[in-house]
Amino acid sequence: MLVKKLKERFEELDGKEIMLQGWVRTNRNSKKLGFIELNDGTTFSNVQIVYLDDLDNYKEVSKITLGSAIEVKGIVKVTPEGKQPFEIQASSIDVLGASDHDYPLQKKRHSFEYMREIPHVRPRANTYYAMFRLRSVLSMAIHRFFQDRGFVYVHTPEITGNDAEGAGEVFTVTTRCDGKYEEDFFQKHAQLTVSGQLHVEPFALTYRNVYTFGPTFRAENSNTTRHASEFWMIEPEMAFADLSDDMDVIEDMIKYCIRYVLENASEEMAFFEKMIDHDCITRVKKVADSKFERMSYTEAIEHLKAAKDQFENQDIFWGMDLQSEHERYLCEQVVKGPVFLTDYPKEIKAFYMRLNDDGKTVAACDLLVPYVGELVGGSQREERYDLLVSRMQEMGMELEGLQWYLDLRRFGGCKHSGFGLGFDRMLMYLSGVQNIRDVQPYPRTPRNLIF
Ligand code: 4AD
Ligand code: MG
């Protein structure tokens, strides 16, 4: 029986025999009596197994090591006065797979750094166990949100010929066939995608509302707690939507996700609140009930100038790219909650963003949130062919490889907008976990490729 089901039905099963399979989280015992905390992966909490020395193999059972896989037959006993509402009184315990003595998890708390060295075992430690289920639940929240609103899920390619963000920080694809490196497999330069946006835009001009949700890759050589070389991104794209509509969807999506995980990953969120971030539930609930503020980049620069003594980088001027200390100041000190910064100088943003009437700024937004900084980046896209071409030329871009993208402006192009939500950063935001390496199952960062 699965522990999840048992937890739902333990009262009616009182006195009945059941069988469980799972892994040993703790095993403590005296000469006559022992307790195993068993986890079978179906629910956050463990089940307590009580065993007595009347088991044939009591001695063997009392030595079962942490991490071992076991099968237990026993009687369900409701324990209203106990710490847990029920326990299992074992009639037999068999070891299905023992865990050797060099098992790397022990009862004590290990450091995050140590855990990153053992990604094959760390999901069994509580923080990661909670995190990777939260990851799964949040993925479903994202799909639910968009599917309920009629958005079409588009699978954009991982291998591409374009650097969508134009930042040049890409992983290139080399090919080996029959043991030999093949120089010209695609007969053009191929790389891993940094964003699905350019590939999803044609679908927005077909289905109106679409999204892509998959891994993206960036060769940013910055070792921060918020950047990974491989991360997941959700990128919706909406035809006939302007920047304000875009921000409305971002805000609705984030609030929906918060409510969804509080309901569907309640034990995991309670764990994070207890062990990682002492007000994470209150904090995210407050966000779900608040109105996100909107502030122009120009206004933000004024706030930063007024507070410049607080920053390491005190050279604050209109046109600068904000650094994370500036972004955090704005959401943590000025607004004290999520804030959209809008209308950035065109020079510090991507080529596809729509030029505003002032000729200096673009219709872009970044959502900044406390603890994490930039969580979402979005914009209204430049739908005017000539303006897009001249912007690309100004930036010294080659038009040829992106003629297909330009053509969309000639084949029924219209106002459209979209954004990218950093999925891993959203997990950091929800849980209070401070390093992106601890929200990804197999983190990839510079000089770090374990397994
Ligand atoms: O702001 P970015 O670069 O925007 C785009 O890629 C657009 N094409 C999105 C769009 O409009 N469709 O990235 C979007 C988000 C960031 O706000 C951040 O949350 C996350 O992706 N992100 C990263 N997350 C982890 N590691 C990295 N190296 C990241 N780079 C960006
Ligand atoms: Mg960005």
Side-chain angles (χ1 to χ4, degrees), residues 165 195 197 218 220 226-228 231 233 235 352 374-378 381 418-422 425 436:
E165 292 303 299
S195 155
Q197 180 195 324
R218 293 192 189 179
E220 289 156 316
R226 307 175 313 131
H227 290 86
F231 62 97
M233 191 155 49
E235 293 185 275
Y352 50 72
E374 183 191 332
L375 183 62
V376 180
R381 318 310 187 187
F419 64 87
L421 165 73
R425 290 193 187 171
I436 200 162

Side-chain angles (χ1 to χ4, degrees), residues 173-175 177 180-190:
V173 176
T174 51
T175 317
C177 303
K180 283 200 294 273
Y181 284 98
E182 172 82 63
E183 291 293 329
D184 229 7
F185 189 89
F186 292 110
Q187 305 213 313
K188 71 187 282 193
H189 177 75

Side-chain angles (χ1 to χ4, degrees), residues 349 366 374 377:
K349 287 291 182 188
D366 276 4
E374 183 191 332

Side-chain angles (χ1 to χ4, degrees), residues 39 107 124-125 137 141 178 209 336 354 360 399 440 449:
N39 193 292
K107 249 188 95 180
R124 301 184 197 183
V137 171
D178 300 329
N209 291 330
K336 298 195 169 65
R354 191 178 197 278
K360 293 193 304 198
L399 301 192
Q440 300 188 314
L449 184 66

Side-chain angles (χ1 to χ4, degrees), residues 397-415:
M397 292 174 65
E398 288 228 3
L399 301 192
E400 202 187 291
L402 284 172
Q403 189 56 50
W404 63 274
Y405 183 73
L406 286 163
D407 285 347
L408 287 176
R409 276 73 191 159
R410 300 189 299 115
F411 301 156
C414 63
K415 173 169 85 179

Side-chain angles (χ1 to χ4, degrees), residues 299-310:
E299 208 184 318
I301 289 291
E302 293 310 311
H303 282 292
L304 295 174
K305 275 186 181 157
K308 76 175 194 314
D309 297 345
Q310 304 193 19

